[in-house]
Every structure is written in C-alpha cells, then in structure tokens.
Amino acid sequence: MQRYFIPTDAWSELNVTIQGEDVHHMIKVMRFKVGDKIICNNDQSNAALCEIVDIQATKVEAKILDWLDETVELPVQVTIAQGIPKGDKFDYVLQKGTELGAAKFIPFKSDRSVVVWDNKKVDKKLIRFKKIVKEASEQSHRNQIPEVLSPMDLRDLIQFSSSYDIRIFAYEEEAKTDYYQSFGEVLNNTNKNDSLLIIIGPEGGFSNSEAEQLKQNAFHPVRLGPRILRTETAAIYALASISYHFEESITSSDV
Amino acid sequence: MQRYFIPTDAWSELNVTIQGEDVHHMIKVMRFKVGDKIICNNDQSNAALCEIVDIQATKVEAKILDWLDETVELPVQVTIAQGIPKGDKFDYVLQKGTELGAAKFIPFKSDRSVVVWDNKKVDKKLIRFKKIVKEASEQSHRNQIPEVLSPMDLRDLIQFSSSYDIRIFAYEEEAKTDYYQSFGEVLNNTNKNDSLLIIIGPEGGFSNSEAEQLKQNAFHPVRLGPRILRTETAAIYALASISYHFEESITSSDV
C-alpha cells in the first residue's frame, strides 16, 4: 500500500489533510480515487491506515481508519557518516541506507575526499538528499524518515560522537592484519536502543592521521569482511549486518 | 596493489605473460614501469606477487616473486538468481555481489520481469556481464571471478537447483506474517563449503504460482529484515549477512 509522511499540523483527530507534492503524486502518479486506501505516517513514527474521502487539485482529505502496530525500524539507532565520495554515490548510500534502516546520515569531509561541496552547493544538495530519503522511506514502508545532517569534518564528527553509545569506523587496513576488532564482537556488545555511529572513508579510505585520531577518541576499527569494498558498499554491508544480527539471526530474539 | 586475472596458458613456472586488454590497463591507466609490483591470479584461485620485468606494446612480462596465502573467498558458495530487473540494476547486482563474495549469478526470467532479453541481446549482455565481474573481482581483491550463467526460467532453475545444499528464496510476503523461516536459522544450518542458491524476485516480487512451486521444490522462503527492499538491494543484504555470519560474527570461528 502506498505510504506518505505527513507533517503534524496536517493531522486532526479523525482526518489527515495532504497538501503539496504528495497531492501531485496521489492524483497524477497513483491516480487515486475517493475510497482508495493509503498509509499515512506522522512525525512520531506512527502509521495509520486511511481512506481517501475527498480529492481536490491542491489537497486530498483522508479519514483515519486504524492505527497500525508495526515494528519495522531497526532496534539500534544507526548513524552513517559517509566520507564524501565522487559522483552520485552519496545519493546511492542515502537510498540504500534508508531501505536498510539507517536513522541519520552525515556527509564527512575526509582528508581523501576528492570532491568539495561549497556552502551554496550544500544547501541545494540537502534539499535533494531529504527528498531521496523521504521517497526511500515510503518505498521501504518505514515509519521514520532518516535525518540528513550538514557536512562535518573530523573534528566536528569527534565532538558530535560524544553522545553515542557505540563508535566504530570501517578501516580497510584492518582487513589485512591478523588482529582486528571483530564487527560481531562490537554488535554483541551493542544493546537494543543503543545509538551507533559508523564512519566510512571515501574512495582511498582514511588517512593514517584520521585513523589515529579516531582510535584516540574511542572509535573501534572494524573490518567488514575480508574483501575490499567500494566506499558506497561499506555502509550497506554494515547496515545489512546490523539488521541480520538484531532482526534475523537466531540469537536476535535473546538480545 | 593492482590485481589481474590471468588465464592458465599465460603462466610458466617462473613467469606470467600478460596480453590483451590488461596490457592497455597496465600501460595507459596504471602507467606501470619495469620493477613495479602487481598481483596475478590464476584460474585455480591462487594469487602470486609478481614484479614487472618487461613492457612491450602488446605484452607485459612479470616474474613470480611469491605465492600468497590469502583467505578472501566466502566460505559458502553463494549463487544469486536475480529476477531480471529494469534498467541497469542487473549490472549493479553483479558489481556489488562480486565485491561481497558471490560465486555465481543467474538472470532469472520471472513471471513479473517486465524486461525480456532476446537471445541476440543475451550474448552481448553476457560479454559485458563477464567484464563487470572481472573488474569487480580485481577491485575487491578476490581470488576468483564469479561465473555469470545464461538466463533461466523457473523450470530450468528448479532443475538446476538439485545440486545445491541449501535452497532459499527472498519472499517479501514473509516479512508481513508472524511465522516465517528465519534467515539466521537457515544460515545456522549451513556449513562451510556448502553451496547455497538464493532466488530473488524482480520488481513486484514473485507471483503466487512461483512462490508455490518454489516451496514445493524444497526452497525455504526467508525474509531479509522487516523493511521492504528494492529487488537490487535484496541480493546485497543476503550476501552481506552471509559474510557477517561466517566471517565476522563471534560465532563464525566455531562454525
């Protein structure tokens, strides 16, 4: 069923009034008629089954039929700090990462990021990024739209990380050594409702100085399998593994 | 270090003679000089550290310095049968799936595949597919290039599946029911060196008839987390979870 995220002020006790771009989508793309059913999410991650009762050119009125009891959000609040990559790879991380349950995304201005986003670019980009995560949330039937924060450099990120329960970074050099922190060990020490921040380097990975600073600031290096992953694949690996560990592995019910 | 997959007939006891497209890559892209080091893989999944000793316009000669002892291949032989999707999503599954350790790929002609590849198209496509998996294998430092098989319909696939130890399909309807086969349960019953075939539907998923036939032929339905994944994300989720389970989780050393 089609799902829409509707801001708080559009909800009354019995009805939802949909305006803006979603109306275009409902009329032109989905060709909904009065009587059709949709799912509407509010800002508090609740979802309601609704029936369309009135369609006008600029707004659609829907009646709340039932509040749904869904558990589709990852039990761990995962933030992906993605080293700013080339091309459209950041878009890709946002889309796939949203499908896989990420709570927040941060573009990370890394030593080895080739691309620099100037401030003017960033504002425009953030608007587009928010559209990508909203659409991916609707498509994957999530109850929550991930946040996309403004770009941070390493110092910002280390400061920002202090509120997190678990801090890790994907360090490909770990994949080449005999001793490394196992990702499974980290997840075994992670509890439901913990917040987890994972930092991923851009193409070319972290500089030695970045890796050192992260280690000094209580970030655990982890490897994500013994193969060398592209930067945009690392976030996906991490999120899929976290989902598997907490939602699909046979021990997940005991955690 | 740059890695090349070199066919058996190019190896002597002490040397490797590289010809064809790889020579272009070595000279024009990497700008290698005599004395530079590369890794060469043979067809038996062995890797050798080599030193370039001669560069000519159409061939490069390298001396074998050392055979490497690497364990970079997934301990389970995973075959991804991917419902033929729209656009370039199959390319994407090949690239990411190779990075994540898949052994084989099969394009699956599903009831709900919108796109039809005619035979002429298929031959051309297979050439391109093999190039994608070769490059992704080199980039991710694998010792083995995955196979890409010709497209199969459901009947072919069921017949083909008889040699596999583990047969599963990603059934999104499972994500909506209270009882479902846990993916973790399946992997707990999978042993190292087992062969595992996972079938993934195209956009729109499996038809009821397909799901029924698969169940009747000893395929277990599994869900890949409680969110609804795009078709091209499902293979990635499955492979990352298998890698996590066997290579990174704390129980993986006991399996």
Side-chain angles (χ1 to χ4, degrees):
Chain A
M1 197 172 298
Q2 187 61 36
R3 181 177 294 256
Y4 297 96
F5 286 87
I6 311 295
T8 305
D9 58 9
W11 293 76
S12 69
E13 199 185 333
L14 301 173
N15 285 284
V16 190
T17 308
I18 299 132
Q19 291 180 297
E21 274 189 30
D22 289 332
V23 172
H24 174 85
H25 189 266
M26 296 175 81
I27 298 175
K28 299 291 180 190
V29 182
M30 301 303 293
R31 299 171 185 274
F32 281 134
K33 297 188 174 46
V34 167
D36 284 340
K37 295 197 177 64
I38 55 173
I39 294 173
C40 293
N41 277 76
N42 66 17
D43 292 339
Q44 288 80 47
S45 305
N46 306 119
L49 179 67
C50 300
E51 183 184 321
I52 295 172
V53 291
D54 186 42
I55 300 181
Q56 294 178 29
T58 59
K59 65 175 183 176
V60 171
E61 198 79 23
K63 186 171 68 174
I64 300 169
L65 298 179
D66 200 10
W67 286 96
L68 303 174
D69 179 22
E70 299 176 313
T71 49
V72 294
E73 292 298 325
L74 265 188
V76 176
Q77 296 287 309
V78 180
T79 298
I80 303 285
Q82 169 69 50
I84 296 178
K86 293 184 204 165
D88 59 359
K89 289 179 189 168
F90 198 83
D91 294 8
Y92 165 80
V93 169
L94 291 175
Q95 190 199 62
K96 298 289 167 248
T98 299
E99 286 177 59
L100 293 164
K104 285 195 182 85
F105 296 94
I106 305 170
F108 162 45
K109 296 188 274 188
S110 168
D111 286 352
R112 291 193 179 153
S113 287
V114 176
V115 182
V116 177
W117 297 347
D118 63 41
N119 286 344
K120 224 175 169 179
K121 256 192 193 166
V122 165
D123 290 344
K124 267 195 176 170
K125 276 181 186 291
L126 283 175
I127 292 170
R128 201 163 53 81
F129 291 164
K130 283 174 185 174
K131 193 159 182 256
I132 292 172
V133 296
K134 179 171 183 284
E135 287 175 359
S137 297
E138 288 167 356
Q139 187 272 331
S140 57
H141 293 207
R142 287 189 58 179
N143 280 336
Q144 192 185 311
I145 304 176
E147 273 184 83
V148 186
L149 306 187
S150 293
M152 297 188 191
D153 61 19
L154 189 66
R155 183 195 285 217
D156 301 332
L157 209 46
I158 287 171
Q159 198 161 20
F160 177 81
S161 73
S162 64
S163 65
Y164 279 79
D165 299 306
I166 310 284
R167 286 174 284 274
I168 55 180
F169 67 111
Y171 196 36
E172 100 177 6
E173 292 304 313
E174 295 299 299
K176 297 178 190 156
T177 57
D178 283 337
Y179 172 77
Y180 57 89
Q181 177 87 12
S182 141
F183 190 29
E185 209 175 316
V186 171
L187 293 187
N188 259 53
N189 291 321
T190 303
N191 298 309
K192 282 193 179 173
N193 300 318
D194 274 359
S195 57
L196 182 154
L197 172 62
I198 178 165
I199 311 188
I200 289 156
E203 298 91 350
F206 293 98
S207 67
N208 290 339
S209 149
E210 285 173 332
E212 274 317 304
Q213 285 179 71
L214 288 171
K215 284 180 187 173
Q216 280 162 21
N217 284 279
F219 279 82
H220 293 287
V222 296
R223 71 165 206 178
L224 303 171
R227 290 159 297 281
I228 302 301
L229 302 180
R230 285 172 196 253
T231 177
E232 75 275 18
T233 316
I236 311 311
Y237 182 109
L239 283 164
S241 298
I242 293 169
S243 165
Y244 175 78
H245 183 98
F246 284 99
E247 299 176 322
E248 299 300 334
S249 79
I250 57 158
T251 54
S252 55
S253 54
D254 316 327
V255 177
Chain B
M1 197 172 296
Q2 188 61 35
R3 181 176 294 257
Y4 297 96
F5 285 87
I6 310 296
T8 305
D9 58 9
W11 293 76
S12 69
E13 200 186 332
L14 301 173
N15 286 285
V16 190
T17 308
I18 299 132
Q19 291 180 296
E21 275 189 30
D22 289 331
V23 173
H24 174 84
H25 188 266
M26 296 175 82
I27 298 176
K28 299 291 181 191
V29 181
M30 301 303 293
R31 298 170 185 274
F32 282 134
K33 296 187 177 46
V34 166
D36 284 340
K37 295 196 178 66
I38 55 174
I39 294 173
C40 294
N41 278 77
N42 66 17
D43 291 339
Q44 287 81 47
S45 304
N46 305 121
L49 178 67
C50 299
E51 182 184 322
I52 296 172
V53 291
D54 186 42
I55 299 181
Q56 294 178 28
T58 58
K59 66 174 184 178
V60 170
E61 198 79 24
K63 185 172 68 174
I64 300 169
L65 299 180
D66 200 10
W67 287 96
L68 302 174
D69 180 21
E70 298 177 313
T71 49
V72 294
E73 293 298 325
L74 265 188
V76 176
Q77 295 288 309
V78 180
T79 298
I80 303 285
Q82 169 70 51
I84 295 178
K86 294 185 204 165
D88 58 359
K89 290 178 190 169
F90 198 83
D91 293 8
Y92 165 79
V93 169
L94 291 175
Q95 189 199 63
K96 297 290 167 247
T98 299
E99 285 177 60
L100 293 164
K104 286 196 181 84
F105 297 94
I106 305 170
F108 161 45
K109 296 187 274 190
S110 168
D111 287 352
R112 292 193 179 153
S113 286
V114 176
V115 182
V116 178
W117 297 346
D118 63 40
N119 285 344
K120 225 176 172 178
K121 257 193 194 165
V122 165
D123 290 343
K124 267 195 178 171
K125 276 181 186 291
L126 284 176
I127 292 171
R128 201 163 53 81
F129 291 164
K130 284 174 185 174
K131 194 159 182 256
I132 292 171
V133 296
K134 178 170 185 283
E135 287 175 359
S137 298
E138 288 166 355
Q139 186 273 331
S140 56
H141 292 206
R142 288 189 57 179
N143 280 336
Q144 191 185 310
I145 304 176
E147 273 184 83
V148 187
L149 305 187
S150 294
M152 296 188 191
D153 61 19
L154 190 64
R155 184 194 285 217
D156 300 332
L157 209 46
I158 287 171
Q159 200 161 17
F160 177 81
S161 72
S162 64
S163 65
Y164 279 81
D165 299 305
I166 310 283
R167 287 174 283 272
I168 55 181
F169 67 112
Y171 196 35
E172 99 176 7
E173 293 303 313
E174 296 299 299
K176 298 178 191 157
T177 57
D178 284 337
Y179 173 78
Y180 57 88
Q181 177 87 9
S182 141
F183 190 30
E185 210 175 317
V186 172
L187 293 188
N188 259 52
N189 291 322
T190 303
N191 298 308
K192 282 193 179 174
N193 300 319
D194 275 359
S195 57
L196 182 154
L197 172 63
I198 178 165
I199 311 187
I200 289 157
E203 297 92 350
F206 293 98
S207 67
N208 289 339
S209 149
E210 286 174 331
E212 274 317 304
Q213 286 180 70
L214 287 171
K215 284 180 189 174
Q216 280 162 21
N217 285 279
F219 279 82
H220 293 288
V222 296
R223 74 166 205 177
L224 303 172
R227 292 158 297 280
I228 303 300
L229 301 180
R230 285 172 197 254
T231 178
E232 75 275 17
T233 317
I236 312 310
Y237 182 109
L239 283 164
S241 298
I242 293 169
S243 165
Y244 175 77
H245 183 98
F246 284 99
E247 298 176 323
E248 300 299 334
S249 79
I250 58 157
T251 54
S252 57
S253 55
D254 315 329
V255 176

